[in-house]
Amino acid sequence: MSEHRRKPPQPQGGGRAAARRGASGEPSGRRAAPRGSTESPSDSYDTPSSSGSYGGQEEDRPWGGRAEARRAAQRGSGGRRRAAPDGGGAGSGDAGGGGRRGGGGPNGPGRGRGRGSGRPQKKRFIDYPRAGKSGAARFVPSWKQVVGTCFGFMLLGVGAFGIGLLIVSVPIEAQAAQAQSNVFYWDDGTQMAATGGQQNRQIVPMEQIPKSMRNAVISAENASFYDDSGVDPMGIARAMFNMARGGQTQGGSTITQQYVKNAMLDDQSQSVSRKAKELFISVKVGATVDKDDILKGYLNTAYFGRNAYGIQAAARAYFDTESSKLTPEQSIFLASVLKGPNLYNPDGGIGEAATPAANKARAMSRWKWIADREVTVGNMSKAERSSLKGFPEIKKQKSALSGQTGYLVDIAKDYVSKKSKISPEDLEKGGYKIYTTFNKKKVEQMQKAVKATEDSFLDSKKRAKDKYVQFGAGSVDPNTGAIVALYGGAGYDQDHYTNNANTAGVPVGSTWKPFVLASAMEYGTYKSDGKPISPMSLYNGNDLTVIKDRNGDPIRAADGTPFRQKNESARAWGDITLRKAMEQSVNSPFVQLGIDVGLEKTRELANKAGILEDSFDKGNLGNASFSLGTSTPSAIRMADAYGSFATSGAHYEPYSVTKALNKDGTALKGFEKPKQTRAMDASVADNVTDVLQNVVKNGTGKKVADIGFPVAGKTGTTDENKSAWFVGYTPELSTAVTLFRTDPRSNGRKLLSMNGTGGVTSIHGGDIPAQIWKDYMAAALKGVDHKDFPDPDKIGEIVGTPTPTPTPSPSVTPSPTDTKPAKPSTTPTTSPTPSTSETCSGWDWNCEDDGGAGNGGTDSGGTTDGGVTTSPTESDPEGNPRGNENGGGLFGGTG
């Protein structure tokens, strides 16, 4: 720094002003005397002390620059105060005045406290942390601060609510009744179908809505409609809290709120912000719109199912009449459906719980409740209630979706609803683009395969037993879990609304046996001390073999006698390998094997492979016939589970949608491809595949043996031929085909025997289902570079030893110690092996011989020995199959 810019050093006690005075030649430690001063001590501002910094000898300091001046000013700026006349000064003991002891006054030493500057501290606008408090108390707000804060937030809330009311608009009924279509796409991105949209909507004035309809809806939905504000704050709060936690969304609690919810078609998000928006609009509507207009708007925009939006469309869809001509009974029904068309429309809906029978039962129960409720709230007299004729007759449903399209769309909607947590009713509002895994070519090939067999085999005009025969099939890519094709039935346009590919309640029969074998190789048996066993292990294959528990004691039948397992044939197989028993689908070895492994282990492995718990036979742990297929998974789930064998034990959950876009093009979350899980050890899966390849080459699946590429599969047939299956796979594709007989519109969908169907004494999984499987797979895999299945590693130990056949022994001279003759062993009497003319192959359509099984099949899923044990279907007095009739669909649960 240049010399002319340097300033002399500040004295210790003078601060910045003293520095300036020092520079101008003023004495250090004193202010310049005012004009006329006598320079007496009384005229000075500070009384210097002989030892203090004010009057003492000035310490010589070299001249410094601006920085030194600032530092000197900082050192001397604190705590200088005038001396108190009778007490201690407030200043420090040194020149800076910032210490804890003050300077002395004329009458004695000063005792003061100072921190920093001696000037009074500025009072803060918000005293937080609080001054004058120490420790944690500094952070405890005062009551004034608490009250002030609450009041401030209240003002902000009122202001925000007011602004919210100003910026939202009241719904316009005509606009609210409009919705876009949902568009579905094939796996190649081309359009498959468009549902919903502008059709089937019509706004009607209040005079065309009968009073019976208005009263029914008000009684059921919002009895205080004409008196309340239109908003249920607690209901809104519950819904917002539930959504904030990630739970299911909830509907509006009042008619006003439901009308607003229906009107918000431009906002398809499932969020707290949407619920808040609904609240603002509901408050504004309740305050500014006439109650009759709100009710009219609600009834003109509500969704009633059957693609009907509004009361006029609903009257046409369900009763083929005008809204103005609805009877009280019909009005009560439509009010019942408003509870949730997916679960109250008697046609059925999306999800395993939404069967036609279950929906109709719910609708009838709610119909009765609403009728009684109208009397309770004063909207109907007791006399009027007594005059009601009961649940009204509903006309048959009509659908614009033909062929397999309706089933494909419903599978996709079900998947979207579950993954995105969008209710089926909200999904019906439209505006979504849904991209599926379905392959158009394969779907057409599957439909063609079914149609060819159906046309050549069935003639309902000629044979009564050909009526109500149902086909179902599902095809899955085992390497991803993608559902590529399915056959659900004749089509919605043909009045067939049950999806047979995703149906529940049809036992799978002997196609379950591979899971029993796999569990024995995965977990072992009690006989092998939990070590895996080989498929070459030996088990008794004779008809009517006594099944024993793990203690070696006979399992008891219902009548207390030893349980004997019935085979389809009376052939005396003797000790037979599990491989051979699978080839010929012999029952008794697998029933005993299931007990030896533990039925819970078979259940565990099947579940890992993709079979849903809901579809398991509910009595499985106490039912020895569980190993013969008394469970009821869908065709899609069976194809997916067998896919775990194809992929050496890897499993992928079946899925039908790759992505879904909102109205604004935003992708919905939750549609990532399923992750791979491990269903079983690779060596287990590969050995099962090897065994099932032998079934195709040499056993009951011979019909598909000449298909031209590697195939593994298993047949299945249940008691009285009520169902027949073929499930098979290649490394590229896994497909399940089922055949059963039932009236799809009957209550409970009771299974009927197929004996005599097609003019054939009995139907087996190795004939009609296998033929459909073969025709479809040959077309679907045409031109594919086929892979071979992996060679299986040797697995497990062989359990069981052959029972020697008794032969005459030569006369032997007894030893001296052998004084008693040997007691002859008791051996069961077995039937002679039938000749070729006495037996039927499992794939012979025209075989007239039942092999001595009475009403059993080659792959009988139960027992048919005249009461030794119950069959899997006879335990239900209605004739329904065992298990959960609502389980076994694609996704499981209650939907």
Side-chain angles (χ1 to χ4, degrees), residues 488-569:
Y492 288 172
D493 58 322
Q494 299 298 313
D495 197 28
H496 186 96
Y497 290 94
T498 302
N499 185 351
N500 292 342
N502 197 33
T503 192
V506 181
V508 295
S510 291
T511 56
W512 193 260
K513 290 174 182 174
F515 299 124
V516 183
L517 178 61
S519 64
M521 291 191 286
E522 181 81 4
Y523 305 113
T525 71
Y526 81 95
K527 295 178 181 178
S528 65
D529 294 326
K531 296 177 182 178
I533 70 169
S534 167
M536 299 306 292
S537 296
L538 295 165
Y539 272 78
N540 189 338
N542 288 335
D543 188 32
L544 298 178
T545 295
V546 174
I547 305 301
K548 298 179 180 180
D549 62 21
R550 291 183 170 217
N551 296 320
D553 299 324
I555 292 176
R556 297 292 169 179
D559 61 1
T561 60
F563 170 73
R564 295 178 179 272
Q565 178 57 52
K566 184 76 180 73
N567 293 333
E568 190 256 345
S569 169

Side-chain angles (χ1 to χ4, degrees), residues 99 145 148-149 155 321 326 366 398 404 479 610 735 766:
Q145 289 173 330
T149 301
L155 289 178
T321 188
L326 287 169
R366 186 159 178 81
K398 293 180 180 179
Q404 301 308 300
N479 299 293
T735 301

